């Protein structure tokens, strides 16, 4: 049995104030300075900074509190416990499967640790199109540096696993530059189980960094409790109403605060505002929700790849982002994901002997994925969050021809790299995709694939937008300081404020940008200057 | 109500809508459930055997046990879905559990327990590349459920060449 110290178990023993689920009963009412909805990247950073400023904070999380003692590196345990909709959240037409966290720590507990600062080209676009004048790399740099120090973000010096090294080698043979991905880990065991919750606490998620800091400073955490709606009056939030999950007829909790920070993640943050019937004079709420739609290419390699072991996503190439204009045909970023049985078997297309044959190749299977950079072109307006009749959110994200044209180029680019890396066969992950023996055959076959929703397999692990940020209310839901344009005592601090997709794995964009927003909020509320510091020894 | 929720699955054809609406109207039972309904079990048993041909044990007690395990894990999987997804899945399986639904949506003529693996596979292949969005959605739901639930079991990992997580 594992003897790895569990900082959450230790914190609970120290007397952290945690209510809901199996913890202390939920109070009927709560009073605090700031109520934060969510516990992911934006919420964690905000909670640490506001408690540092001496504010009394309550965090509301719909997922459970799980920690390293619960993380067994098993998909069957992790997906229902740690992900939205058991890792099967889908867009309205079911054509895109969305991986999004739902637990204390949010997606930071289950992400693959890839850490990129917001690309300069993306910030340039935000300044030009959304008036975000002080969003430039230089002025954001100190906030990124603080977040990197706080979360141990740095170069990963261990050699890449074979799944990633194949990307490096294939790209090199084609003269395509590829580089190493920085990771937010400290003492990583190189297990490859990041997506199931880090069992060694090496991943510097919110669960083991900012949230313990906030709880040690007296913050209150409500778990298994869903933020239902804000009570609004005269352009202010008067209270947050939250409902315990699970039990029928369970009592609601009413939380009164001077200020509220919505950080429930894209899809869920706009949903809270929609349920609250928040003012939306320009019809922007929930719109421009972006996904970095992902397509995949599977190759059979002569040697074993064993994509389940070793750190995932340690090599990338931005060649197909940087060699074309950001507002032209859709560019894409290439990475190599971790491979585990459930996600692999449900992603491999086909049935019967066809599928069984591909599954038997698992140890020799190399997978590349392409993240399509959405939101920078008139034909890439993203999706729209709306509410079902039961109040739950649904994202309608049409995969139009513009997106699918990018997807086809991505399948071509990945196949060419995989053959350059020595693939014996490459199968585009598409219902009509078959194993292709060489690059000329693949080029022809991929060019002829019907690129339609529910034929090409499309997934997403990055949800952004829906409460976009802009310099004026006509273009955004929130102002450049994170404050809601129509609701004075409400800020939004998560990936939903991005006016386009990021064009890179978004966690560090959220940490860095929210770091600045939350420092500003702390100063406005208390007059104090706070900053994310290096972790305590 | 059922017809409205069903619409959300994305019906691409008035003909299919008529079948779906008509069929569901004949089926008064509740369309929700946190596990597979009795009517859904033969559907998933037959679909499971067809999807997993080549991965399931070929015959005998091992095959019976593997299919029983699949259904048990599907129950677990369904229990972990949010209410809206449970409702949609229950409606899909309810529809497939009727003779008209089985014929028109899945393209399988024989009742599920009697349909051969070849017949069910032919039906699934038709759904997989159908021009109707609804049929492709249904195919992917069945495929992903079966494949995900089956290979969640560590007993299946040897045939994938997967050693399981590294022990700490």
């Amino acid at each position: 049995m594992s003897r790895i110290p569990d900082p959450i178990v230790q914190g609970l023993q120290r007397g952290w104030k945690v209510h809901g689920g199996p913890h202390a009963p939920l109070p009927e009412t709560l009073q605090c300075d700031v109520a934060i909805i969510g516990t992911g990247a934006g919420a964690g950073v905000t909670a640490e900074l506001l408690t540092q400023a001496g504010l009394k904070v309550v965090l509301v999380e719909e997922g459970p509190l799980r920690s390293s003692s619960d993380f067994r590196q098993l998909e069957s345990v992790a997906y229902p416990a740690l992900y939205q909709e058991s890792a099967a959240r889908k867009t309205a037409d079911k054509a895109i499967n969305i991986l999004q966290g739902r637990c204390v720590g949010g997606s930071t507990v289950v992400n693959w640790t890839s850490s990129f600062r917001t690309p300069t080209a993306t910030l340039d676009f935000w300044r030009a199109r959304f008036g975000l004048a002080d969003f430039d790399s230089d002025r954001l740099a100190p906030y990124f540096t603080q977040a990197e120090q706080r979360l141990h973000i740095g170069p990963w010096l261990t050699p890449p696993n074979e799944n990633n090294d194949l990307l490096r080698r294939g790209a090199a043979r084609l003269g395509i530059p590829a580089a190493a991905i920085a990771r937010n880990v400290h003492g990583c065991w190189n297990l490859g189980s990041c997506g199931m919750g880090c069992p060694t606490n090496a991943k510097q998620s919110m669960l083991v960094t900012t949230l313990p800091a906030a709880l040690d400073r007296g913050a209150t955490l409500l778990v298994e409790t869903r933020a239902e709606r804000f009570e609004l009056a005269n352009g202010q939030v008067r209270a947050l109403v939250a409902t315990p999950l699970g039990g029928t007829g369970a009592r609601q909790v009413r939380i009164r605060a001077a200020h509220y920070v919505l950080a429930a993640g894209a899809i869920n943050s706009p949903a809270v505002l929609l349920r609250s019937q928040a003012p939306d004079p320009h019809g922007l709420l929930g719109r421009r929700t972006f996904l970095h739609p992902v397509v995949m290419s599977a190759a059979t390699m002569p040697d074993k790849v064993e994509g389940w072991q070793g750190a995932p996503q340690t090599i990338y190439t931005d060649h197909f982002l940087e060699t074309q204009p950001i507002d032209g045909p859709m560019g894409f970023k290439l990475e190599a994901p971790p491979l585990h049985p459930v996600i692999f078997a449900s992603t491999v297309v086909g049935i019967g002997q066809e599928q069984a044959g591909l599954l038997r190749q698992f140890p020799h299977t190399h997978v590349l994925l392409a993240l399509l950079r959405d939101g920078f072109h008139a034909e890439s307006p993203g999706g729209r969050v709306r509410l079902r009749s039961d109040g739950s959110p649904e994202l309608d994200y049409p995969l139009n021809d513009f997106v699918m044209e990018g997807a086809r180029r991505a399948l071509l680019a990945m196949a060419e790299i995989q053959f350059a890396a020595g693939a014996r066969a490459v199968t585009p992950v598409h219902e009509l995709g078959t194993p292709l023996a060489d690059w000329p055959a693949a080029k022809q076959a991929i060019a002829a694939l019907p690129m339609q929703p529910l034929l090409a397999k499309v997934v997403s692990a990055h949800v952004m937008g829906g409460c976009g940020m802009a310099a004026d209310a006509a273009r955004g839901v929130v102002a450049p300081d994170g404050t809601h344009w129509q609701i004075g005592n409400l800020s939004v601090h998560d990936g939903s404020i991005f006016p386009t997709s990021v064009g890179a794995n978004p966690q560090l964009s959220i940490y860095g940008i929210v770091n600045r927003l939350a420092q500003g909020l702390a100063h406005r509320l208390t007059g104090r200057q706070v900053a994310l510091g290096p972790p305590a020894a | 109500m059922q017809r409205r929720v069903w619409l959300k699955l994305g019906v691409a054809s008035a003909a299919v809508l008529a079948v779906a609406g008509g069929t569901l109207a004949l089926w008064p039972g509740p369309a929700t459930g946190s596990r597979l309904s009795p009517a859904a079990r033969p559907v998933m048993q037959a679909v499971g055997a067809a999807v997993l041909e080549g991965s399931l044990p070929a015959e005998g007690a091992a095959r019976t046990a593997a299919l029983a395990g699949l259904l048990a894990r599907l129950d677990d999987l369904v229990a972990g879905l949010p209410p809206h997804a449970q409702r949609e899945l229950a409606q899909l399986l309810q529809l497939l559990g009727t003779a008209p639904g089985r014929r028109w949506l899945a393209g399988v003529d024989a009742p599920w327990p009697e349909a051969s693996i070849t017949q069910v596979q032919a039906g699934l292949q038709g759904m997989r590349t159908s021009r109707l969005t609804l049929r492709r959605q249904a195919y992917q739901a069945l495929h992903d459920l079966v494949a995900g639930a089956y290979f969640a079991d560590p007993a299946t990992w040897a045939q994938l060449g997967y050693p399981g997580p590294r022990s700490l």
Side-chain angles (χ1 to χ4, degrees):
Chain A
M1 282 302 290
S2 163
R3 288 286 170 268
I4 296 162
D6 184 328
I8 304 307
V9 170
Q10 292 169 349
L12 289 168
Q13 284 165 354
R14 281 200 299 278
W16 281 352
K17 289 183 267 182
V18 180
H19 300 262
H23 306 278
L26 285 169
E28 264 178 81
T29 58
L30 273 170
Q31 192 98 27
C32 58
D33 297 319
V34 182
I36 301 176
I37 295 128
T39 59
V45 168
T46 301
E48 171 159 339
L49 290 167
L50 297 187
T51 53
Q52 204 184 110
L55 291 162
K56 189 179 171 195
V57 166
V58 172
L59 295 129
V60 183
E61 169 59 51
E62 74 170 337
L65 176 58
R66 296 280 190 273
S67 56
S68 55
S69 334
D70 307 306
F71 299 154
R72 304 290 163 81
Q73 309 181 73
L74 292 174
E75 293 174 282
S76 58
V77 175
Y79 296 158
L82 306 178
Y83 284 78
Q84 291 288 349
E85 309 192 20
S86 287
R89 179 170 257 191
K90 288 180 166 52
T91 49
D93 68 357
K94 319 284 189 243
I96 309 177
N97 194 82
I98 298 170
L99 295 179
Q100 210 176 4
R102 193 198 72 159
C103 55
V104 174
S107 295
T108 72
V109 173
V110 293
N111 73 19
W112 300 337
T113 73
S114 308
S115 303
F116 297 90
R117 291 189 182 191
T118 315
T120 299
T122 300
L123 295 172
D124 291 346
F125 190 88
W126 291 359
R127 287 198 310 282
R129 302 294 179 91
F130 297 92
L132 299 176
D134 60 352
F135 282 73
D136 62 73
S137 298
D138 287 347
R139 270 183 280 189
L140 283 168
Y143 300 95
F144 283 129
T145 301
Q146 288 170 10
E148 286 158 359
Q149 288 174 350
R150 176 71 180 93
L151 303 174
H152 265 279
I153 292 173
W156 172 244
L157 301 174
T158 305
N161 71 3
E162 179 67 0
N163 203 37
N164 279 274
D165 203 54
L166 283 161
L167 169 57
R168 187 189 61 76
R169 300 202 302 266
R173 278 182 203 135
L174 296 174
I176 292 171
I181 301 180
R183 307 182 63 221
N184 58 320
V185 293
H186 184 43
C188 173
W189 293 29
N190 205 25
L191 295 172
S193 298
C194 310
M196 293 164 270
C198 182
T200 67
N201 297 306
K203 174 161 54 178
Q204 298 297 288
S205 69
M206 298 300 98
L207 178 66
V208 301
T209 58
T210 54
L211 294 172
L215 289 162
D216 278 334
R217 291 194 195 107
T220 299
L221 171 64
L222 311 187
V223 303
E224 301 180 41
T225 304
R226 175 179 294 140
E228 215 59 64
R229 64 181 189 281
F230 295 117
E231 291 177 7
L232 300 170
N234 306 318
Q236 297 283 308
V237 179
R238 291 301 170 87
L240 169 70
V241 178
T243 315
L245 295 188
T248 48
R251 281 185 326 200
Q252 291 190 320
V253 191
R254 203 156 173 279
I255 302 161
R256 297 197 61 141
H259 199 91
Y260 299 80
V261 175
L262 185 53
I267 298 182
N268 287 350
S269 279
V272 172
L273 291 170
L274 287 167
R275 288 197 293 267
S276 311
Q277 298 181 297
D280 179 26
H282 302 283
L284 300 172
L285 179 58
R287 294 186 187 263
R288 292 188 63 78
T289 296
F290 300 105
L291 290 174
H292 284 158
V294 166
V295 288
M296 294 156 288
S297 183
T300 306
M301 291 292 165
D303 298 319
K304 283 194 170 174
V305 179
E306 299 183 335
W308 54 82
Q309 64 169 0
Q313 289 191 168
T314 54
I315 299 289
Y316 75 106
T317 175
D318 276 350
H319 177 74
F320 303 95
L321 290 175
E322 289 168 352
T323 50
Q324 52 197 85
I326 196 167
D327 55 354
M330 216 174 248
F332 47 89
K333 184 181 198 84
L334 298 186
E335 295 173 342
L339 305 175
H340 290 96
V342 169
I343 212 159
F344 181 68
S346 51
T347 304
V348 165
V349 298
I351 59 171
Q353 296 295 351
E354 177 195 1
Q355 190 195 37
L358 292 168
L359 291 174
R360 278 193 290 270
Q361 299 293 325
F362 188 32
H364 288 261
T365 302
H366 167 60
V367 174
L368 285 180
L369 59 77
L371 304 165
L372 290 151
R373 179 172 57 184
D374 51 346
F376 293 84
H377 187 281
E379 288 181 60
S380 179
R384 179 187 180 188
V385 177
R386 58 194 185 200
L387 299 178
R388 297 188 185 89
S389 55
D390 65 0
S392 64
E394 176 177 64
L395 175 63
D396 180 25
Y397 190 113
L399 285 169
N400 61 18
D401 290 347
F402 183 80
V403 179
M404 294 314 260
E405 187 275 333
R408 188 193 304 280
R409 278 185 286 109
L411 290 177
L412 285 164
M414 291 189 286
E416 187 173 18
I417 289 172
Q418 289 174 314
F419 282 116
R424 282 202 301 238
V426 171
T427 307
V429 182
H430 183 293
E431 295 297 348
L432 298 175
T434 52
L436 302 160
D438 54 38
W439 170 230
K443 208 170 163 179
Q444 200 173 10
I446 294 168
L449 281 177
M451 293 302 289
Q452 286 165 20
L454 296 154
L455 283 179
K457 274 263 197 202
V458 181
V459 299
S460 165
H462 304 156
V463 196
M464 298 153 285
C467 299
M469 184 168 47
D472 50 78
R475 284 184 287 177
V477 174
V478 301
D481 67 357
T483 313
H484 191 283
W485 271 114
Q486 286 83 32
I487 306 171
N489 65 340
L490 172 65
S491 302
V492 185
H493 284 190
D494 62 20
S496 72
I497 63 177
F498 298 150
T500 63
S501 76
V502 170
N505 309 53
Q507 70 164 338
L508 181 51
S509 288
I510 302 172
Y511 299 140
I513 289 170
V514 168
N515 181 23
R516 186 165 82 181
L517 301 182
Q519 290 187 27
L521 177 62
H523 189 252
R524 289 198 299 282
L525 295 176
T526 67
R528 291 198 205 172
Q529 296 288 351
V530 291
L532 275 188
Chain B
M1 174 63 193
Q2 287 178 330
R3 183 177 160 123
R4 199 182 56 73
V5 176
W6 183 245
L7 268 170
K8 288 187 178 176
L9 262 174
V11 175
S13 144
V16 170
L17 176 62
V19 172
T23 309
L24 289 172
L26 294 172
W27 195 275
T32 60
S34 59
R35 59 198 304 264
L36 297 176
S37 70
R41 305 188 92 76
V43 179
M44 292 315 298
Q45 175 109 6
V47 169
V51 169
L52 297 170
E53 191 213 2
S55 294
L56 279 170
E59 55 197 7
R63 181 182 176 81
T64 309
L67 278 168
L70 170 69
L71 290 185
R73 288 194 296 285
L74 282 169
D75 278 334
D76 293 344
L77 205 154
V78 172
L81 294 174
H84 70 86
Q86 287 182 354
R87 272 196 301 276
E88 286 185 347
L89 181 61
Q91 287 181 344
L92 170 64
L93 295 176
Q94 201 172 48
L95 181 59
L96 286 170
T98 67
R102 186 187 69 239
R103 289 200 190 93
W104 276 293
L105 187 58
V108 174
D109 284 332
W112 292 109
E114 293 156 33
S116 69
I117 284 180
T118 313
Q119 286 171 327
V120 177
Q121 285 179 340
L124 290 169
Q125 295 289 13
M127 297 167 81
R128 181 183 177 192
T129 55
S130 171
R131 280 166 39 210
L132 299 182
T133 302
L134 171 67
R135 297 187 73 215
R136 300 206 302 276
Q137 289 170 331
Y139 166 80
Q140 293 201 357
L142 296 173
H143 170 276
D144 294 4
L145 280 169
V146 167
Y150 189 68
F151 291 101
D153 178 11
T156 64
W157 291 348
Q159 62 180 292
L160 296 178
Y162 173 67
R166 206 197 308 170
S167 89
L168 303 180

